[in-house]
Amino acid sequence: MTKTLITGGTVVNATGTAQADVLIDGETIAAVLAPGSTLLGFDLASNVDQVVDATGKYVIPGGIDAHTHMQMPFGGTEASDTFETGTRAAAHGGTTSIIDFVVQYAGENILEQYNLWQEKAAGQCAVDYGFHQILSDVQDSSLTAMDELINEGVTSFKLFMAYKGVFLSDDGQIVKAMQKGAENGALMMMHAENGSVIDLLVQQHIERGETSPFYHGTSRPWQAEEEATHRAIMLANLTGAPLYIVHVSAKQAVEQIAAARDNGQNVFAETCPQYLYLSLEDQLGASSEEWGDFEGAKWVCSTPLRSKHEGHQGHMWQGLRTNDLQVISTDHCPFCMKGQKDMGIGNFSKIPNGIGSVEHRMDLIYQGVVMGEISLPRWVELTSTTPARMFGIHGKKGVIQPGADGDVVIYNPNGHTSIGLPTDGRGESTGKTHHMNMDYSAWEGFEIDGHVDTVFSRGRKVVDDNTYLGKKGDGAYFKRGLSQYLI
């Protein structure tokens, strides 16, 4: 069992910062000590296997990305990151836990799908992982499976108000699932967009010959997100189920969430980096020499990027400050441009939906600290501590304290990170790299005033100075309890 002493750093938890040394014994944090403490002996450094000097750096709990889609089948293809490549990229970016989604399409057996996802991930992951379960057609067998999955540590279930014939559940099915959630304590997650309205607008755009990626955004207007968010809140109110809205992008949806929370309802929500920084005009409307106006396909995701002129991005930051939004996840669902996104040339509705961000989330949100949008403890709270509490793993994950897993990131505020192309993509050798299995980066050109220097996953050093030291299979499945964040 390796003993590691991290000295000289500033420990950052959601509750604040402190100069402290951190002792990791095997897989667990054994002690958080005042600098120079002799509580465990006068010469602790000589009695450990390795000492890591974190002077001038932040020592934070490993990031938890609570919304990823590794190897997800979608629209005739599959997300380009496997559990191996995606979790390795996560480790590079300071994320030491992911919660991925088990997919159930209509007619599929939920428990069989759960077992399939366990087989996909087993022995492949670089960091620890858990699962949510997607529900599509909510049958009586689905409700029974919810109880069984809670015993397996899957305590959150996602429903969709969009994607007719693929994922969409009608309001009656949603109520049925929420009634079960109210009974067994499961957290009900919702993709809140009005699918019928979107399907009509998509059809009208295509009929008018408006087929470029820009129209993906205009076919999914904020009104469709606000209406569905309000409807989901009302159905949760009716049933008493706790509700978590995924990938919120519209300021009007945040206002619905805030109103419900002000009334004391158990309603929670996440946003994603793309809704803080990217826009309909600059990204979905982009053009390039290589792709023409199809360049925008790089940023096609749902919910879509919003207009920068409507104030959505600023309102997302505000919601993060006021706790109307509690979590930042990525909705990591990457596809390559060549052979995947290009399926939608001539018809934006056929572009696989998704952006790759699992590697960059911690950096991108730290930049919000640099910009003065959020505080340093709030950065940790949004990216690690609250995801741990929300999804039933706090105490083991999401905090630097004795007894917690040794998931620790040493973050250098004086370092610098340039986000760009993979070295094996177009042969770029500029030093601007990423490690996700994609032939482009949605974040190419972003500069971060900070750097992930060292990453420990359950006490094992897996990344150091941009070098990956781990291997597939290092990550373990974690069973989750019920949400620890309910009112």
Side-chain angles (χ1 to χ4, degrees):
M1 300 286 280
T2 301
K3 286 187 179 180
T4 300
L5 182 64
I6 302 171
T7 64
T10 300
V11 171
V12 185
N13 278 311
T15 49
T17 65
Q19 294 295 121
D21 297 341
V22 178
L23 176 65
I24 305 174
D25 188 355
E27 296 190 348
T28 307
I29 296 173
V32 180
L33 302 162
S37 170
T38 59
L39 188 65
L40 298 181
F42 285 99
D43 194 11
L44 182 59
S46 66
N47 291 297
V48 298
D49 299 292
Q50 60 180 336
V51 176
V52 179
D53 184 4
T55 301
K57 302 176 184 180
Y58 301 131
V59 181
I60 66 172
I64 300 169
D65 192 342
H67 189 154
T68 68
H69 298 283
M70 307 300 178
Q71 294 177 237
M72 177 183 170
F74 186 93
T77 186
E78 184 174 273
S80 57
D81 261 325
T82 64
F83 278 96
E84 179 185 359
T85 64
T87 57
R88 186 169 64 232
H92 273 283
T95 287
T96 56
S97 299
I98 65 165
I99 309 179
D100 205 77
F101 283 87
V102 177
V103 175
Q104 181 231 1
Y105 293 109
E108 292 179 335
N109 181 283
I110 290 174
L111 295 178
E112 288 179 0
Q113 291 302 105
Y114 167 71
N115 290 331
L116 175 60
W117 253 252
Q118 284 283 19
E119 290 171 8
K120 285 184 181 185
Q124 300 298 311
C125 293
V127 299
D128 291 353
Y129 61 97
F131 291 119
H132 310 286
Q133 175 68 57
I134 288 174
L135 305 176
S136 54
D137 58 335
V138 181
Q139 307 298 330
D140 289 342
S141 60
S142 309
L143 307 181
T144 302
M146 287 174 69
D147 288 331
E148 294 184 49
L149 285 172
I150 284 178
N151 292 330
E152 293 292 319
V154 178
T155 57
S156 42
F157 298 85
K158 182 181 179 184
L159 296 154
F160 286 77
M161 291 174 153
Y163 300 115
K164 184 177 181 180
V166 181
F167 287 131
L168 184 144
S169 297
D170 64 36
D171 289 352
Q173 291 172 321
I174 290 169
V175 166
K176 193 184 297 186
M178 285 184 168
Q179 287 172 334
K180 173 57 75 170
E183 174 190 313
N184 63 18
L187 182 62
M188 306 308 296
M189 308 175 77
M190 187 65 71
H191 178 124
E193 289 185 291
N194 187 314
S196 296
V197 170
I198 290 167
D199 290 346
L200 173 65
L201 296 178
V202 168
Q203 179 185 345
Q204 291 175 341
H205 274 308
I206 299 298
E207 288 173 350
R208 290 194 294 264
E210 298 165 343
T211 62
S212 73
F214 179 84
Y215 297 103
H216 169 79
T218 58
S219 70
R220 307 181 90 96
W222 61 260
Q223 290 91 339
E225 184 178 350
E226 182 186 18
E227 185 280 328
T229 300
H230 175 73
R231 182 159 36 106
I233 289 168
M234 289 297 97
L235 298 181
N237 184 277
L238 171 67
T239 60
L243 175 66
Y244 179 95
I245 308 290
V246 299
H247 49 53
V248 174
S249 64
K251 65 181 182 181
Q252 294 84 357
V254 178
E255 290 165 357
Q256 294 289 337
I257 292 159
R261 290 175 56 75
D262 288 346
N263 288 328
Q265 191 173 342
N266 271 311
V267 175
F268 314 102
E270 68 181 21
T271 192
C272 306
Q274 53 265 36
Y275 308 123
L276 299 170
Y277 290 108
L278 309 180
S279 72
L280 169 71
E281 294 87 357
D282 292 342
Q283 276 74 40
L284 285 179
S287 182
S288 70
E289 184 176 340
E290 180 179 9
W291 293 103
D293 64 6
F294 193 70
E295 177 77 5
K298 293 177 176 179
W299 298 278
V300 164
C301 61
S302 298
T303 52
L305 305 183
R306 299 292 175 195
S307 171
K308 63 183 179 181
H309 303 298
E310 293 175 350
H312 299 284
Q313 290 85 351
H315 201 91
M316 293 301 123
W317 284 114
Q318 177 181 308
L320 293 170
R321 287 191 295 274
T322 60
N323 207 41
D324 292 322
L325 297 168
Q326 299 78 41
V327 172
I328 300 175
S329 303
T330 59
D331 192 10
H332 178 79
C333 193
F335 298 96
C336 293
M337 279 292 278
K338 295 177 180 176
Q340 291 189 302
K341 292 273 191 179
D342 58 8
M343 295 163 58
I345 292 176
N347 185 342
F348 68 84
S349 70
K350 297 187 182 302
I351 300 170
N353 284 212
I355 289 178
S357 301
V358 73
E359 183 174 353
H360 304 313
R361 181 183 64 118
M362 298 299 288
D363 282 324
L364 289 165
I365 307 311
Y366 177 75
Q367 193 64 24
V369 177
V370 175
M371 294 159 53
E373 295 286 358
I374 56 173
S375 69
L376 196 59
R378 185 64 174 160
W379 170 48
V380 169
E381 189 173 11
L382 291 164
T383 57
S384 184
T385 307
T386 298
R389 291 181 63 198
M390 189 73 70
F391 296 108
I393 52 175
H394 188 256
K396 294 293 287 180
K397 308 286 187 186
V399 64
I400 303 290
Q401 70 180 23
D405 285 349
D407 297 342
V408 178
V409 174
I410 300 174
Y411 196 88
N412 185 359
N414 298 310
H416 190 83
T417 304
S418 296
I419 302 176
L421 297 169
T423 51
D424 59 354
R426 301 181 206 169
E428 295 284 328
S429 57
T430 61
K432 297 182 178 182
T433 61
H434 72 75
H435 302 87
M436 297 173 293
N437 187 30
M438 302 173 67
D439 62 0
Y440 77 98
S441 171
W443 300 100
E444 183 178 344
F446 272 68
E447 304 291 340
I448 307 298
D449 296 313
H451 185 266
V452 174
D453 278 5
T454 307
V455 180
F456 293 89
S457 174
R458 276 184 294 112
R460 180 187 294 108
K461 187 186 290 185
V462 293
V463 173
D464 192 39
D465 192 25
N466 297 321
T467 301
Y468 178 64
L469 305 174
K471 62 183 185 303
K472 70 175 184 177
D474 282 346
Y477 173 71
F478 48 77
K479 286 189 173 184
R480 299 186 290 113
L482 297 178
S483 176
Q484 299 158 292
Y485 204 78
L486 303 189
I487 297 170

